[in-house]
């Protein structure tokens, strides 16, 4: 804070908390809410993991940790993936095959990330789980990841989870024309206080998006891709049909 020229009061104003709350971070070592950690890190031009390392001692890739924290607090998640099954819905074998492809991730790191990914999925099984709507393109069902047994297991799991009351998996059919979602994957999340955030991924790393204008833009893109998708029940039927082709 001193290096950035901030006081407790000025920092509190910029991250929209009470000065007494900000003071507790210093006096008693309390750890802020995940979204507040991100805001403080932005104001101070530091990495949130440097300021509060304890919550980040996970097995995720370092740049993914802020979103992994926020994901656990979300009341709703809207995910669009044009190329892969979303991480929250992946089986262990599918996740391992994705990470091991190309040899870009060391075997030991693959193990760590897979374990962390499976741990994240527990959020869907808690007493008050978030509402998850996942939209994927049909190519996700048909492109081989690993061998046929990996794909068959993944699609059967996807169809089973899609029957849960709080989970929807909807598929954009292959014959659909080009749509805005094909520009890249994204996830929109809503926190208990109504705050909306997003996560974008690329070839190198992902980023948490908090700017309201960007969130609104992604919201319009979500409406576009969701409009291209088959209804919930027909999507589940298609997933089961394609699963049979992998056996």
């Amino acid at each position: 804070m001193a290096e950035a020229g901030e006081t407790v009061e000025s920092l509190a104003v910029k991250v929209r908390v009470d000065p007494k709350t900000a003071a507790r971070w210093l006096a008693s070592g309390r750890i802020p809410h995940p979204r507040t950690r991100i805001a403080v890190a932005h104001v101070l031009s530091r990495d949130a993991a440097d300021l509060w390392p304890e919550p980040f001692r996970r097995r995720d890739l370092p740049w993914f940790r802020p979103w992994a924290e926020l994901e656990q607090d979300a009341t709703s998640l809207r995910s669009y993936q044009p190329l892969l099954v979303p991480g929250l819905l992946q089986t262990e074998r599918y996740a391992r095959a994705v990470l091991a492809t190309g040899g870009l991730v060391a075997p030991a790191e693959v193990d760590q990330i897979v374990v962390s990914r499976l741990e994240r999925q527990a959020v869907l099984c808690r007493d008050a789980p978030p509402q998850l709507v996942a939209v994927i393109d049909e190519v996700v069902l048909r492109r081989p990841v690993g061998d046929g047994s990996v794909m068959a297991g993944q699609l059967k799991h996807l169809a089973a989870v899609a029957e849960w009351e709080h989970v929807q998996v909807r598929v954009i059919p292959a014959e659909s024309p080009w749509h805005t979602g094909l520009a890249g994957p994204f996830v929109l999340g809503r926190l208990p206080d109504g705050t909306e955030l997003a996560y974008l991924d690329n070839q190198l790393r992902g980023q948490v998006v908090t700017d309201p204008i960007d969130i609104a833009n992604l919201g319009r893109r979500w409406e576009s891709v969701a409009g291209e998708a088959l209804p919930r029940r027909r999507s589940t039927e298609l997933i089961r049909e394609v699963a049979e082709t992998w056996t």
Side-chain angles (χ1 to χ4, degrees), residues 6-245:
E6 298 290 348
T7 65
V8 167
E9 290 75 16
S10 67
L11 180 62
V13 169
K14 290 180 179 178
V15 300
R16 299 181 181 180
V17 301
D18 187 278
K20 292 181 180 179
T21 299
R24 292 189 190 103
W25 304 336
L26 302 179
S28 61
R30 293 192 182 182
I31 298 175
H33 188 280
R35 68 178 182 277
T36 305
R37 292 200 295 269
I38 292 172
V40 172
H42 177 73
V43 170
L44 300 182
S45 299
R46 297 290 295 273
D47 192 307
D50 292 336
L51 300 174
W52 291 284
E54 185 60 34
F56 293 93
R57 287 173 182 158
R58 300 169 51 99
R59 286 175 280 257
D60 301 308
L61 293 169
W63 46 259
F64 184 72
R65 291 169 188 163
W67 178 255
E69 287 280 313
L70 292 164
E71 187 179 64
Q72 298 300 306
D73 288 337
T75 58
S76 71
L77 295 163
R78 292 174 289 168
S79 171
Y80 171 66
Q81 278 286 349
L83 302 175
L84 292 169
V85 173
L88 286 177
L89 301 176
Q90 291 179 5
T91 64
E92 178 179 355
R93 294 183 67 202
Y94 183 94
R96 193 173 296 279
V98 168
L99 292 165
T101 299
L104 298 177
V105 182
E109 193 173 6
V110 169
D111 291 339
Q112 293 176 350
I113 297 172
V114 169
V115 169
S116 179
R117 188 164 297 179
L118 296 177
E119 288 175 348
R120 282 173 50 217
Q121 296 176 5
V123 71
L124 297 178
C125 301
R126 68 191 187 193
D127 290 340
Q131 293 290 322
L132 171 63
V133 181
V135 174
I136 59 176
D137 274 76
E138 186 177 342
V139 66
V140 174
L141 309 178
R142 301 189 183 279
R143 176 180 287 118
V145 174
D147 59 23
S149 66
V150 171
M151 290 300 299
Q154 174 62 73
L155 298 196
K156 288 176 182 177
H157 173 71
L158 198 60
V161 175
E163 296 288 351
W164 296 358
E165 184 177 356
H166 60 286
V167 177
Q168 290 188 43
V169 180
R170 297 179 57 197
V171 181
I172 297 177
E175 62 267 21
S176 294
W178 190 94
H179 55 85
T180 57
L182 293 175
F186 61 92
V187 185
L188 288 164
R190 180 176 289 113
L191 300 179
D193 65 358
T195 300
E196 292 195 336
L197 304 157
Y199 177 74
L200 301 177
D201 210 347
N202 60 42
Q203 286 281 348
L204 296 177
R205 61 185 58 84
Q207 68 175 115
V208 176
V209 178
T210 59
D211 183 87
I213 295 176
D214 290 338
I215 299 297
N217 191 351
L218 289 170
R220 290 191 292 272
R221 290 172 182 265
W222 171 261
E223 295 300 327
S224 176
V225 298
E228 295 288 343
L230 296 171
R232 181 179 188 178
R233 189 166 300 280
R234 177 63 189 118
S235 292
T236 304
E237 291 172 354
L238 177 58
I239 292 169
R240 289 200 172 100
E241 290 169 9
V242 179
E244 292 300 317
T245 70

